[in-house]
Amino acid sequence: MILAQYPITRKTALATLLSFGLLAGSGSPLHAAEEHPWNLHLKAEAYRDAGQSALAVPIWDSLMRRAEAEADWNTAALYAGSLNEYYDSVRDYDKAIEYYELENLFWLNDGKDWGSNDWERAYQLRTTIELYASARPDSAQLEPYKPKSGKLAKFEPEYGMYVGIYSEQDEQMGNHFDRSASIYGKNHAMYLAYATYGESFPSRYVSNAKEADGALQIAWQPLNGLDPVLDDSYLRKWARDAKTAGIPIFLRFAGEMNGDWTPWAVDPATYIEKFRTVANVMHSEAPNVAMVWSPGDVPRYNMDRYYPGDEYVDWVGVSLYTEPYSHGNPEVSMEATTPIERLDELYRLYADRKPVMLSESAVAHYTNSDGKSHTEFALMNLDRLYRVMPKKYPRLKAITYFNVDLLHKESRNDYLLRDNPDMLELYKTVIADPYMLSKVETGAKPADSIGYVDALTPFVRETEIVPFVRIPDIWIGRLDYVLNGRTIAKQTKPPYGIRLNAGEVPEGSVLELQVFNRAGDKVASKSIPVSSQVAVRIDGEQQQFEQPPVIQDGSTLAPLRAIFERLGAEVKWDAATSVATGSRNGTTVSLKIGDDTAYVNGKAVKLEVAAQLVNGYTMAPARFVGETFGGTVTWEGDFRTVQIKTK
């Protein structure tokens, strides 16, 4: 269990505060009928020491509320901590969440970030089931992928996500980027390289990237600090060399500046000044360079102090790792943590105006510190990293996997994919999705034009349902997918998700996702209505309509104007008579709204159902619309699709 880490223990802190009478309050004296906080505290401690913490709970709560009312945030936070620890231990997770969030709030009110672990623990305990669905996005569904300005940043895809990798320490691939497809089944869009400020431009990586038809992410590190970073001949030449490279370059200058582990971890004002210096030079000298500002996801609540400003930043990145232990320490478990919540702060601050990338990210599958394998943990979170996060965070448009084994360094975690066959296989599977982009260019999008929406959105032809599931038990034993009361799939390992054809989803369908823990107990479920729309394909090309086809009395009504015009006919509408007329190559067709008879060159033709207006659009039986000008119409029931083939 992850608990907030404080300079002193809660018990010691409370005893110190109370012994000096600080809990009596500075502004309001005790009434005669009130028991002194010190006595109440001692009574609660006695209950706890006797193994009767349940009796201490109301006392802790009353003391917390009193401290809150008096704005004694330190004391209030400490009592909230006692309460969340208790409720967590008895598995009353709703109450635990309440007090974890209160403790975080109280610490923030006290000007401290000591509650960040409490916020994270609250997130871990909250049962979560979210369902996303693949779709061909229309203009409205594309809005979450766009910045609020509507203008894409340099090299930003319209939607979809670039896959990147750091491979230098992988002896199988090294810096031979052109081996990507043979190892992973797909080229990566970008390859990560490190460079030191003060040294020449790393041209050796450029030719390798060109051979792989890829871009570079360069992590440019001022290892001698920020003082040498000036607008001088060195910086200008480096920028011109970057321009000469002729490939897209994502320049991550002085990343993770908000931590204390780098030589450039200085005051925010100095950092911002130096970042702006580099950005100004690159923007003027190297149009193929996108500036990436990239803090670490920890420590929390301080990254915004270092933000250089929208004018100087093209992309916002973050270093974000998922590991079973905190800093490689087996005594501090991080198994309940996922990559999902760790992006929350940065995404909330910047995603509305900047594309987001995970500049470095990986999931540990082995801990060298104690020689333990964590395959189940790793597979679950790799699935979340690549399959859930791009759906939950549509402005997340790039992930670079840090493919290394830190055998003797830092956390001593092994992230190297080839060291775990299951991880390698899952990675190859998730990046094979066309949503994962292999070519960097502004406005790029998936080749199959598939994005992701909320699973409540009606789909056309087929869809893939992707779940995000989190339970307090951490480990998912099984997921059951139940459609209209019938179990259609069971899954015990990632990748999680199912495909549905439109023909499987009649009107009024309900999909339920049932979640089981390792013991086989059903611990959560979520039901949602699912629905599909009729599709129209003309000569194999799926049509997009402002008004989709509808089914009435067993007949499919299709938008007349859109299909007639696609077939090369001229269409006119007479509002006075409610008559639509289409003409092509000597054939004239007319029909009136509300009539079940149409006229082809003056000859009456009986319709299956009458033409009608739907949301202002003239709708007529699809077979009649498709065959009028010589097309052949068939019905593809499995996918609820009208197929029209022209002569």
Side-chain angles (χ1 to χ4, degrees), residues 421-450:
D422 291 333
M423 284 286 284
L424 177 58
E425 189 59 34
L426 179 59
Y427 182 78
K428 291 165 64 175
T429 297
V430 296
I431 70 168
D433 185 340
Y435 189 83
M436 303 297 173
L437 304 173
S438 293
K439 180 71 174 176
V440 171
E441 56 185 351
T442 304
K445 59 184 178 181
D448 62 358
S449 300
I450 296 296

PDB file of all heavy atoms in Angstrom, residues 421-450:
ATOM      1  N   PRO A 421       9.538 -12.125 -23.721  1.00  0.00           N
ATOM      2  CA  PRO A 421       8.824 -12.441 -24.962  1.00  0.00           C
ATOM      3  C   PRO A 421       7.363 -11.994 -24.954  1.00  0.00           C
ATOM      4  O   PRO A 421       6.840 -11.565 -25.990  1.00  0.00           O
ATOM      5  CB  PRO A 421       8.936 -13.969 -25.052  1.00  0.00           C
ATOM      6  CG  PRO A 421      10.149 -14.314 -24.246  1.00  0.00           C
ATOM      7  CD  PRO A 421      10.190 -13.315 -23.129  1.00  0.00           C
ATOM      8  N   ASP A 422       6.695 -12.078 -23.804  1.00  0.00           N
ATOM      9  CA  ASP A 422       5.298 -11.649 -23.737  1.00  0.00           C
ATOM     10  C   ASP A 422       5.174 -10.143 -23.948  1.00  0.00           C
ATOM     11  O   ASP A 422       4.256  -9.668 -24.626  1.00  0.00           O
ATOM     12  CB  ASP A 422       4.687 -12.039 -22.388  1.00  0.00           C
ATOM     13  CG  ASP A 422       4.523 -13.545 -22.233  1.00  0.00           C
ATOM     14  OD1 ASP A 422       4.376 -14.232 -23.263  1.00  0.00           O
ATOM     15  OD2 ASP A 422       4.545 -14.033 -21.093  1.00  0.00           O
ATOM     16  N   MET A 423       6.099  -9.392 -23.370  1.00  0.00           N
ATOM     17  CA  MET A 423       6.088  -7.938 -23.555  1.00  0.00           C
ATOM     18  C   MET A 423       6.365  -7.568 -25.006  1.00  0.00           C
ATOM     19  O   MET A 423       5.700  -6.698 -25.583  1.00  0.00           O
ATOM     20  CB  MET A 423       7.127  -7.293 -22.643  1.00  0.00           C
ATOM     21  CG  MET A 423       6.721  -7.203 -21.193  1.00  0.00           C
ATOM     22  SD  MET A 423       5.464  -5.918 -20.906  1.00  0.00           S
ATOM     23  CE  MET A 423       6.479  -4.443 -20.981  1.00  0.00           C
ATOM     24  N   LEU A 424       7.334  -8.233 -25.608  1.00  0.00           N
ATOM     25  CA  LEU A 424       7.673  -7.945 -26.997  1.00  0.00           C
ATOM     26  C   LEU A 424       6.489  -8.234 -27.910  1.00  0.00           C
ATOM     27  O   LEU A 424       6.157  -7.440 -28.799  1.00  0.00           O
ATOM     28  CB  LEU A 424       8.887  -8.763 -27.426  1.00  0.00           C
ATOM     29  CG  LEU A 424       9.325  -8.614 -28.891  1.00  0.00           C
ATOM     30  CD1 LEU A 424       9.650  -7.165 -29.222  1.00  0.00           C
ATOM     31  CD2 LEU A 424      10.523  -9.518 -29.190  1.00  0.00           C
ATOM     32  N   GLU A 425       5.822  -9.360 -27.670  1.00  0.00           N
ATOM     33  CA  GLU A 425       4.687  -9.727 -28.511  1.00  0.00           C
ATOM     34  C   GLU A 425       3.538  -8.739 -28.355  1.00  0.00           C
ATOM     35  O   GLU A 425       2.895  -8.343 -29.341  1.00  0.00           O
ATOM     36  CB  GLU A 425       4.218 -11.140 -28.168  1.00  0.00           C
ATOM     37  CG  GLU A 425       3.191 -11.704 -29.136  1.00  0.00           C
ATOM     38  CD  GLU A 425       3.702 -11.774 -30.571  1.00  0.00           C
ATOM     39  OE1 GLU A 425       4.916 -12.016 -30.777  1.00  0.00           O
ATOM     40  OE2 GLU A 425       2.876 -11.577 -31.494  1.00  0.00           O
ATOM     41  N   LEU A 426       3.259  -8.317 -27.118  1.00  0.00           N
ATOM     42  CA  LEU A 426       2.184  -7.351 -26.901  1.00  0.00           C
ATOM     43  C   LEU A 426       2.539  -6.015 -27.532  1.00  0.00           C
ATOM     44  O   LEU A 426       1.686  -5.366 -28.154  1.00  0.00           O
ATOM     45  CB  LEU A 426       1.900  -7.179 -25.411  1.00  0.00           C
ATOM     46  CG  LEU A 426       0.792  -6.165 -25.065  1.00  0.00           C
ATOM     47  CD1 LEU A 426      -0.531  -6.563 -25.714  1.00  0.00           C
ATOM     48  CD2 LEU A 426       0.624  -6.032 -23.553  1.00  0.00           C
ATOM     49  N   TYR A 427       3.787  -5.593 -27.394  1.00  0.00           N
ATOM     50  CA  TYR A 427       4.209  -4.318 -27.997  1.00  0.00           C
ATOM     51  C   TYR A 427       4.012  -4.357 -29.511  1.00  0.00           C
ATOM     52  O   TYR A 427       3.488  -3.409 -30.103  1.00  0.00           O
ATOM     53  CB  TYR A 427       5.665  -4.038 -27.655  1.00  0.00           C
ATOM     54  CG  TYR A 427       6.171  -2.716 -28.193  1.00  0.00           C
ATOM     55  CD1 TYR A 427       5.858  -1.527 -27.556  1.00  0.00           C
ATOM     56  CD2 TYR A 427       6.962  -2.667 -29.341  1.00  0.00           C
ATOM     57  CE1 TYR A 427       6.321  -0.311 -28.043  1.00  0.00           C
ATOM     58  CE2 TYR A 427       7.423  -1.458 -29.841  1.00  0.00           C
ATOM     59  CZ  TYR A 427       7.101  -0.280 -29.180  1.00  0.00           C
ATOM     60  OH  TYR A 427       7.547   0.923 -29.676  1.00  0.00           O
ATOM     61  N   LYS A 428       4.418  -5.439 -30.143  1.00  0.00           N
ATOM     62  CA  LYS A 428       4.238  -5.558 -31.590  1.00  0.00           C
ATOM     63  C   LYS A 428       2.764  -5.516 -31.964  1.00  0.00           C
ATOM     64  O   LYS A 428       2.380  -4.928 -32.984  1.00  0.00           O
ATOM     65  CB  LYS A 428       4.878  -6.864 -32.084  1.00  0.00           C
ATOM     66  CG  LYS A 428       6.403  -6.850 -32.006  1.00  0.00           C
ATOM     67  CD  LYS A 428       7.008  -8.236 -32.140  1.00  0.00           C
ATOM     68  CE  LYS A 428       6.745  -8.868 -33.471  1.00  0.00           C
ATOM     69  NZ  LYS A 428       7.449 -10.171 -33.606  1.00  0.00           N
ATOM     70  N   THR A 429       1.925  -6.119 -31.125  1.00  0.00           N
ATOM     71  CA  THR A 429       0.484  -6.130 -31.393  1.00  0.00           C
ATOM     72  C   THR A 429      -0.110  -4.731 -31.293  1.00  0.00           C
ATOM     73  O   THR A 429      -0.875  -4.304 -32.160  1.00  0.00           O
ATOM     74  CB  THR A 429      -0.234  -7.072 -30.410  1.00  0.00           C
ATOM     75  OG1 THR A 429       0.236  -8.406 -30.611  1.00  0.00           O
ATOM     76  CG2 THR A 429      -1.744  -7.037 -30.618  1.00  0.00           C
ATOM     77  N   VAL A 430       0.233  -3.997 -30.238  1.00  0.00           N
ATOM     78  CA  VAL A 430      -0.421  -2.700 -30.024  1.00  0.00           C
ATOM     79  C   VAL A 430       0.053  -1.649 -31.024  1.00  0.00           C
ATOM     80  O   VAL A 430      -0.738  -0.790 -31.442  1.00  0.00           O
ATOM     81  CB  VAL A 430      -0.231  -2.199 -28.576  1.00  0.00           C
ATOM     82  CG1 VAL A 430      -0.916  -3.144 -27.599  1.00  0.00           C
ATOM     83  CG2 VAL A 430       1.234  -2.002 -28.207  1.00  0.00           C
ATOM     84  N   ILE A 431       1.321  -1.703 -31.442  1.00  0.00           N
ATOM     85  CA  ILE A 431       1.751  -0.681 -32.406  1.00  0.00           C
ATOM     86  C   ILE A 431       1.337  -1.034 -33.831  1.00  0.00           C
ATOM     87  O   ILE A 431       1.441  -0.196 -34.736  1.00  0.00           O
ATOM     88  CB  ILE A 431       3.268  -0.419 -32.339  1.00  0.00           C
ATOM     89  CG1 ILE A 431       4.074  -1.596 -32.869  1.00  0.00           C
ATOM     90  CG2 ILE A 431       3.692  -0.027 -30.932  1.00  0.00           C
ATOM     91  CD1 ILE A 431       5.548  -1.251 -33.096  1.00  0.00           C
ATOM     92  N   ALA A 432       0.847  -2.269 -34.051  1.00  0.00           N
ATOM     93  CA  ALA A 432       0.359  -2.639 -35.382  1.00  0.00           C
ATOM     94  C   ALA A 432      -0.937  -1.926 -35.731  1.00  0.00           C
ATOM     95  O   ALA A 432      -1.307  -1.827 -36.906  1.00  0.00           O
ATOM     96  CB  ALA A 432       0.161  -4.153 -35.464  1.00  0.00           C
ATOM     97  N   ASP A 433      -1.645  -1.426 -34.747  1.00  0.00           N
ATOM     98  CA  ASP A 433      -2.886  -0.675 -34.966  1.00  0.00           C
ATOM     99  C   ASP A 433      -2.599   0.495 -35.909  1.00  0.00           C
ATOM    100  O   ASP A 433      -1.660   1.265 -35.693  1.00  0.00           O
ATOM    101  CB  ASP A 433      -3.383  -0.147 -33.614  1.00  0.00           C
ATOM    102  CG  ASP A 433      -4.732   0.542 -33.703  1.00  0.00           C
ATOM    103  OD1 ASP A 433      -5.142   0.959 -34.807  1.00  0.00           O
ATOM    104  OD2 ASP A 433      -5.383   0.682 -32.651  1.00  0.00           O
ATOM    105  N   PRO A 434      -3.385   0.644 -36.987  1.00  0.00           N
ATOM    106  CA  PRO A 434      -3.154   1.766 -37.917  1.00  0.00           C
ATOM    107  C   PRO A 434      -3.215   3.137 -37.246  1.00  0.00           C
ATOM    108  O   PRO A 434      -2.677   4.110 -37.790  1.00  0.00           O
ATOM    109  CB  PRO A 434      -4.282   1.607 -38.945  1.00  0.00           C
ATOM    110  CG  PRO A 434      -4.636   0.158 -38.901  1.00  0.00           C
ATOM    111  CD  PRO A 434      -4.454  -0.258 -37.470  1.00  0.00           C
ATOM    112  N   TYR A 435      -3.846   3.208 -36.075  1.00  0.00           N
ATOM    113  CA  TYR A 435      -3.881   4.480 -35.343  1.00  0.00           C
ATOM    114  C   TYR A 435      -2.470   4.913 -34.946  1.00  0.00           C
ATOM    115  O   TYR A 435      -2.199   6.101 -34.755  1.00  0.00           O
ATOM    116  CB  TYR A 435      -4.758   4.334 -34.101  1.00  0.00           C
ATOM    117  CG  TYR A 435      -5.040   5.632 -33.378  1.00  0.00           C
ATOM    118  CD1 TYR A 435      -6.066   6.475 -33.797  1.00  0.00           C
ATOM    119  CD2 TYR A 435      -4.283   6.014 -32.277  1.00  0.00           C
ATOM    120  CE1 TYR A 435      -6.333   7.664 -33.143  1.00  0.00           C
ATOM    121  CE2 TYR A 435      -4.546   7.204 -31.617  1.00  0.00           C
ATOM    122  CZ  TYR A 435      -5.568   8.021 -32.047  1.00  0.00           C
ATOM    123  OH  TYR A 435      -5.820   9.204 -31.390  1.00  0.00           O
ATOM    124  N   MET A 436      -1.571   3.944 -34.812  1.00  0.00           N
ATOM    125  CA  MET A 436      -0.178   4.228 -34.463  1.00  0.00           C
ATOM    126  C   MET A 436       0.585   4.595 -35.738  1.00  0.00           C
ATOM    127  O   MET A 436       0.769   3.751 -36.619  1.00  0.00           O
ATOM    128  CB  MET A 436       0.460   3.019 -33.779  1.00  0.00           C
ATOM    129  CG  MET A 436      -0.272   2.560 -32.530  1.00  0.00           C
ATOM    130  SD  MET A 436      -0.265   3.842 -31.263  1.00  0.00           S
ATOM    131  CE  MET A 436      -1.335   3.127 -30.025  1.00  0.00           C
ATOM    132  N   LEU A 437       1.025   5.825 -35.820  1.00  0.00           N
ATOM    133  CA  LEU A 437       1.567   6.389 -37.050  1.00  0.00           C
ATOM    134  C   LEU A 437       3.072   6.159 -37.167  1.00  0.00           C
ATOM    135  O   LEU A 437       3.804   6.274 -36.186  1.00  0.00           O
ATOM    136  CB  LEU A 437       1.279   7.885 -37.106  1.00  0.00           C
ATOM    137  CG  LEU A 437      -0.201   8.284 -36.972  1.00  0.00           C
ATOM    138  CD1 LEU A 437      -0.338   9.800 -36.877  1.00  0.00           C
ATOM    139  CD2 LEU A 437      -1.020   7.755 -38.144  1.00  0.00           C
ATOM    140  N   SER A 438       3.531   5.874 -38.395  1.00  0.00           N
ATOM    141  CA  SER A 438       4.943   5.606 -38.656  1.00  0.00           C
ATOM    142  C   SER A 438       5.623   6.716 -39.443  1.00  0.00           C
ATOM    143  O   SER A 438       6.826   6.626 -39.702  1.00  0.00           O
ATOM    144  CB  SER A 438       5.097   4.299 -39.441  1.00  0.00           C
ATOM    145  OG  SER A 438       4.724   3.198 -38.660  1.00  0.00           O
ATOM    146  N   LYS A 439       4.898   7.745 -39.824  1.00  0.00           N
ATOM    147  CA  LYS A 439       5.463   8.808 -40.650  1.00  0.00           C
ATOM    148  C   LYS A 439       5.111  10.159 -40.055  1.00  0.00           C
ATOM    149  O   LYS A 439       3.932  10.459 -39.845  1.00  0.00           O
ATOM    150  CB  LYS A 439       4.930   8.693 -42.081  1.00  0.00           C
ATOM    151  CG  LYS A 439       5.447   9.751 -43.036  1.00  0.00           C
ATOM    152  CD  LYS A 439       6.916   9.553 -43.367  1.00  0.00           C
ATOM    153  CE  LYS A 439       7.387  10.542 -44.431  1.00  0.00           C
ATOM    154  NZ  LYS A 439       8.841  10.421 -44.681  1.00  0.00           N
ATOM    155  N   VAL A 440       6.125  10.984 -39.791  1.00  0.00           N
ATOM    156  CA  VAL A 440       5.906  12.303 -39.191  1.00  0.00           C
ATOM    157  C   VAL A 440       5.644  13.335 -40.275  1.00  0.00           C
ATOM    158  O   VAL A 440       6.468  13.540 -41.166  1.00  0.00           O
ATOM    159  CB  VAL A 440       7.129  12.730 -38.356  1.00  0.00           C
ATOM    160  CG1 VAL A 440       6.997  14.189 -37.910  1.00  0.00           C
ATOM    161  CG2 VAL A 440       7.290  11.819 -37.148  1.00  0.00           C
ATOM    162  N   GLU A 441       4.490  13.960 -40.199  1.00  0.00           N
ATOM    163  CA  GLU A 441       4.162  15.084 -41.067  1.00  0.00           C
ATOM    164  C   GLU A 441       2.955  15.801 -40.494  1.00  0.00           C
ATOM    165  O   GLU A 441       2.055  15.175 -39.921  1.00  0.00           O
ATOM    166  CB  GLU A 441       3.888  14.635 -42.503  1.00  0.00           C
ATOM    167  CG  GLU A 441       2.794  13.599 -42.661  1.00  0.00           C
ATOM    168  CD  GLU A 441       2.670  13.106 -44.100  1.00  0.00           C
ATOM    169  OE1 GLU A 441       3.320  13.710 -44.977  1.00  0.00           O
ATOM    170  OE2 GLU A 441       1.945  12.137 -44.338  1.00  0.00           O
ATOM    171  N   THR A 442       2.940  17.104 -40.628  1.00  0.00           N
ATOM    172  CA  THR A 442       1.820  17.884 -40.118  1.00  0.00           C
ATOM    173  C   THR A 442       0.537  17.456 -40.814  1.00  0.00           C
ATOM    174  O   THR A 442       0.477  17.362 -42.034  1.00  0.00           O
ATOM    175  CB  THR A 442       2.061  19.386 -40.353  1.00  0.00           C
ATOM    176  OG1 THR A 442       3.305  19.760 -39.757  1.00  0.00           O
ATOM    177  CG2 THR A 442       0.932  20.210 -39.738  1.00  0.00           C
ATOM    178  N   GLY A 443      -0.496  17.162 -40.015  1.00  0.00           N
ATOM    179  CA  GLY A 443      -1.783  16.745 -40.570  1.00  0.00           C
ATOM    180  C   GLY A 443      -1.882  15.263 -40.844  1.00  0.00           C
ATOM    181  O   GLY A 443      -2.872  14.816 -41.437  1.00  0.00           O
ATOM    182  N   ALA A 444      -0.901  14.476 -40.427  1.00  0.00           N
ATOM    183  CA  ALA A 444      -0.967  13.025 -40.641  1.00  0.00           C
ATOM    184  C   ALA A 444      -2.189  12.441 -39.952  1.00  0.00           C
ATOM    185  O   ALA A 444      -2.710  12.997 -38.979  1.00  0.00           O
ATOM    186  CB  ALA A 444       0.300  12.364 -40.106  1.00  0.00           C
ATOM    187  N   LYS A 445      -2.650  11.305 -40.457  1.00  0.00           N
ATOM    188  CA  LYS A 445      -3.760  10.597 -39.824  1.00  0.00           C
ATOM    189  C   LYS A 445      -3.694   9.137 -40.232  1.00  0.00           C
ATOM    190  O   LYS A 445      -3.000   8.779 -41.190  1.00  0.00           O
ATOM    191  CB  LYS A 445      -5.100  11.217 -40.214  1.00  0.00           C
ATOM    192  CG  LYS A 445      -5.408  11.243 -41.688  1.00  0.00           C
ATOM    193  CD  LYS A 445      -6.727  11.975 -41.953  1.00  0.00           C
ATOM    194  CE  LYS A 445      -7.042  12.054 -43.437  1.00  0.00           C
ATOM    195  NZ  LYS A 445      -8.314  12.786 -43.677  1.00  0.00           N
ATOM    196  N   PRO A 446      -4.399   8.268 -39.515  1.00  0.00           N
ATOM    197  CA  PRO A 446      -4.336   6.833 -39.816  1.00  0.00           C
ATOM    198  C   PRO A 446      -4.772   6.522 -41.239  1.00  0.00           C
ATOM    199  O   PRO A 446      -5.697   7.148 -41.777  1.00  0.00           O
ATOM    200  CB  PRO A 446      -5.301   6.218 -38.788  1.00  0.00           C
ATOM    201  CG  PRO A 446      -5.352   7.214 -37.678  1.00  0.00           C
ATOM    202  CD  PRO A 446      -5.215   8.551 -38.326  1.00  0.00           C
ATOM    203  N   ALA A 447      -4.131   5.544 -41.838  1.00  0.00           N
ATOM    204  CA  ALA A 447      -4.439   5.169 -43.220  1.00  0.00           C
ATOM    205  C   ALA A 447      -5.875   4.701 -43.369  1.00  0.00           C
ATOM    206  O   ALA A 447      -6.492   4.886 -44.426  1.00  0.00           O
ATOM    207  CB  ALA A 447      -3.470   4.086 -43.694  1.00  0.00           C
ATOM    208  N   ASP A 448      -6.435   4.086 -42.313  1.00  0.00           N
ATOM    209  CA  ASP A 448      -7.816   3.610 -42.410  1.00  0.00           C
ATOM    210  C   ASP A 448      -8.810   4.633 -41.905  1.00  0.00           C
ATOM    211  O   ASP A 448     -10.008   4.347 -41.810  1.00  0.00           O
ATOM    212  CB  ASP A 448      -7.981   2.295 -41.647  1.00  0.00           C
ATOM    213  CG  ASP A 448      -7.705   2.454 -40.153  1.00  0.00           C
ATOM    214  OD1 ASP A 448      -7.345   3.564 -39.717  1.00  0.00           O
ATOM    215  OD2 ASP A 448      -7.862   1.454 -39.414  1.00  0.00           O
ATOM    216  N   SER A 449      -8.340   5.847 -41.586  1.00  0.00           N
ATOM    217  CA  SER A 449      -9.203   6.946 -41.120  1.00  0.00           C
ATOM    218  C   SER A 449     -10.032   6.566 -39.904  1.00  0.00           C
ATOM    219  O   SER A 449     -11.170   7.019 -39.748  1.00  0.00           O
ATOM    220  CB  SER A 449     -10.128   7.420 -42.254  1.00  0.00           C
ATOM    221  OG  SER A 449      -9.380   7.889 -43.344  1.00  0.00           O
ATOM    222  N   ILE A 450      -9.474   5.738 -39.030  1.00  0.00           N
ATOM    223  CA  ILE A 450     -10.183   5.315 -37.825  1.00  0.00           C
ATOM    224  C   ILE A 450      -9.627   6.052 -36.618  1.00  0.00           C
ATOM    225  O   ILE A 450      -8.422   6.090 -36.390  1.00  0.00           O
ATOM    226  CB  ILE A 450     -10.060   3.792 -37.610  1.00  0.00           C
ATOM    227  CG1 ILE A 450     -10.735   3.040 -38.759  1.00  0.00           C
ATOM    228  CG2 ILE A 450     -10.676   3.381 -36.285  1.00  0.00           C
ATOM    229  CD1 ILE A 450     -12.227   3.248 -38.855  1.00  0.00           C
TER     230      ILE A 450
END
